[in-house]
Amino acid sequence: MGVSSRTTFFVLFLAALLAFVNERYYAIRVIINNQPDRLPSVKAFSDYKIKLQDQVRNCEDAVIDESRGIAILSCDPGRDKWNTVMGTFVDSTIPGSLWVYKYSDFDSQEEHAHRLRVDGFNETQLNGFHPLGMEYWPETSTVYVSNHAKSGPKVEIFKLNEDETGFSLQHQRTLSHPLIHAPNSLVAVSDDELYMTNDHKWKIGEHPKKSMFETYLAYPGGSIVYINLKTNTYKELANIPFANGVTALNKTHLAVASTAQPSVIIFKIDPESISLTETAKLRPAFMVDNLSTDSNGHLLMAGHPDLKLLKNVAKTNQFYDLDGTGEGKPEAERPRAPSWVAEWDGNAGGVIRDIYVGTEYGTGCTAARDVGRGLGIVSGLYEKGIFVWKE
């Protein structure tokens, strides 16, 4: 290797090292700033309620259909003992389910969520259903769900039906593919096209040490995958550290959360070549989990100020009596982890505005907004009920 080549190699290595140090410095600064005694308290709304606490639990995702005035919830009480992302592998036999919460406004007296019956799922599928990220395409009433079943990761596709008896799901299709190896979040951009994130390259259940390396050193092993249901096309488009929530900001841009950096990366979509180009990176003051876009085009972000506290909840939740059975430690003694919700107006020069930071409702992971009715919903990864705010 000549002098010029060695110099070029050294410059490139130094640039990569500085970029890595800068990324890790920001992540460490977030951790330090979000210690419990430093955490701000923010409630940028007029009122809030925690609803459905005696009905739903551990809801990882929530989507709103403003035209119908409903929220669809992806909930899994079995997550206390089965979490393939965070490494809990105790018991996979407690299944999750999807729910519909029909509201009219913030002060609605309707305080009941309806568990969605699933037609077309056999007993094995029902008992092994562990829903995580979810998407709803209202034009065809189609629901897409990441399923972390013990039998293997997959994406389930359902049709949401409504008749005089209420809502139900009809199972339509199961997607399994080598590029669906750690499915997390989904967003539909047409009747037949999806973008999906795989949160890790190395799953913690198969490669625990490599998975920890990937998370804590922010190795770009997570992926963004394009899926075309009509042509049966699967294509990996980009790799980022801990790829988590994904949402379409508009017809030309995607936003994807990188929980490990932490950041939200904005990509421009090239529909001709089916490729993504990074155009911007947002730096929220917390570890972003899921994303959504409201009808005004604002990006909503929800996530975790302190991953250490979140991991403690994930590890210990199974030991508390959360379902009132009398088994386990008193619920009041269980550990808590705070929530952080913020929004970005979608403009290049726009700022990130905090909506909620607090512990009244913990482990918040998804925020969605009904602009017309002036309310928002937060779901919690390890929490009872949903948090509903009034603008």
Side-chain angles (χ1 to χ4, degrees):
M1 182 183 290
V3 175
S4 177
S5 296
R6 286 197 298 269
T7 301
T8 300
F9 174 80
F10 176 75
V11 170
L12 292 174
F13 172 78
L14 184 61
L17 179 62
L18 289 175
F20 170 78
V21 170
N22 180 62
E23 290 287 355
R24 292 298 81 206
Y25 167 74
Y26 183 78
I28 292 170
R29 191 175 68 183
V30 166
I31 292 170
I32 293 173
N33 289 344
N34 291 342
Q35 293 301 298
D37 59 340
R38 296 186 178 187
L39 196 68
S41 178
V42 178
K43 294 183 178 69
F45 37 72
S46 64
D47 200 0
Y48 77 92
K49 296 177 182 178
I50 300 175
K51 300 188 175 189
L52 311 179
Q53 287 180 285
D54 61 343
Q55 297 171 62
V56 299
R57 185 158 73 81
N58 297 3
C59 300
E60 203 273 348
D61 211 347
V63 294
I64 281 179
D65 183 347
E66 289 192 47
S67 65
R68 284 173 151 177
I70 62 171
I72 307 172
L73 310 174
S74 170
C75 308
D76 188 1
R79 184 171 296 114
D80 297 338
K81 296 184 178 182
W82 186 260
N83 186 330
T84 62
V85 179
M86 300 189 71
T88 305
F89 301 100
V90 178
D91 181 5
S92 67
T93 63
I94 306 170
S97 55
L98 303 187
W99 297 69
V100 162
Y101 171 52
K102 193 168 186 177
Y103 57 85
S104 57
D105 55 37
F106 177 80
D107 297 312
S108 170
Q109 297 304 306
E110 168 90 19
E111 297 298 333
H112 185 69
H114 304 269
R115 187 198 302 266
L116 290 170
R117 185 187 76 247
V118 181
D119 298 319
F121 245 21
N122 61 41
E123 186 175 353
T124 300
Q125 289 173 307
L126 285 172
N127 292 337
F129 187 47
H130 289 283
L132 198 70
M134 173 183 58
E135 170 65 323
Y136 174 64
W137 186 248
E139 283 83 350
T140 56
S141 296
T142 304
V143 181
Y144 308 87
V145 185
S146 296
N147 181 10
H148 285 216
K150 187 178 182 180
S151 59
K154 46 188 71 77
V155 172
E156 308 289 359
I157 303 177
F158 304 95
K159 176 71 176 294
L160 180 67
N161 295 317
E162 184 181 13
D163 58 26
E164 63 278 0
T165 64
F167 291 93
S168 64
L169 293 173
Q170 175 66 50
H171 184 246
Q172 295 188 317
R173 186 175 175 184
T174 296
L175 304 182
S176 296
H177 190 274
L179 289 180
I180 304 177
H181 59 267
N184 196 302
S185 184
L186 301 149
V187 63
V189 294
S190 76
D191 291 351
D192 304 300
E193 296 172 290
L194 297 168
Y195 290 91
M196 182 202 76
T197 59
N198 288 298
D199 48 71
H200 283 76
K201 175 180 180 179
W202 294 301
K203 296 188 288 185
I204 195 168
E206 298 173 358
H207 307 282
K209 291 182 179 179
K210 288 182 178 179
S211 182
M212 288 182 65
F213 162 85
E214 186 177 340
T215 298
Y216 291 108
L217 294 184
Y219 175 79
S223 59
I224 306 166
V225 175
Y226 168 81
I227 302 173
N228 189 308
L229 301 174
K230 181 180 291 186
T231 63
N232 199 34
T233 298
Y234 295 78
K235 183 179 180 181
E236 185 174 276
L237 304 182
N239 294 98
I240 64 174
F242 202 147
N244 208 326
V246 59
T247 186
L249 294 174
N250 47 47
K251 292 182 179 180
T252 60
H253 288 80
L254 287 182
V256 184
S258 172
T259 304
Q261 279 192 331
S263 67
V264 175
I265 304 171
I266 311 301
F267 293 96
K268 185 177 181 180
I269 303 169
D270 184 336
E272 297 299 322
S273 61
I274 313 295
S275 61
L276 299 175
T277 302
E278 181 178 332
T279 60
K281 183 179 289 188
L282 309 179
R283 289 294 197 179
F286 59 100
M287 310 292 181
V288 181
D289 197 322
N290 284 329
L291 306 172
S292 70
T293 305
D294 70 17
S295 57
N296 281 338
H298 288 200
L299 175 68
L300 293 169
M301 303 167 274
H304 316 288
D306 191 325
L307 284 184
K308 182 177 70 174
L309 293 180
L310 174 63
K311 286 185 66 177
N312 189 39
V313 172
K315 180 190 290 188
T316 61
N317 229 36
Q318 61 183 292
F319 302 118
Y320 292 86
D321 182 18
L322 303 178
D323 297 316
T325 63
E327 298 179 3
K329 301 177 184 179
E331 180 183 349
E333 298 177 4
R334 73 183 178 113
R336 306 283 294 167
S339 303
W340 198 311
V341 178
E343 70 173 324
W344 177 58
D345 64 9
N347 295 313
V351 298
I352 295 174
R353 183 182 78 93
D354 294 331
I355 297 174
Y356 172 67
V357 184
T359 57
E360 296 89 349
Y361 185 84
T363 66
C365 53
T366 299
R369 176 189 278 138
D370 185 321
V371 172
R373 293 175 177 85
L375 61 82
I377 288 175
V378 181
S379 64
L381 191 65
Y382 287 98
E383 188 57 278
K384 284 186 166 185
I386 57 174
F387 182 99
V388 183
W389 83 80
K390 181 179 182 181
E391 300 284 13

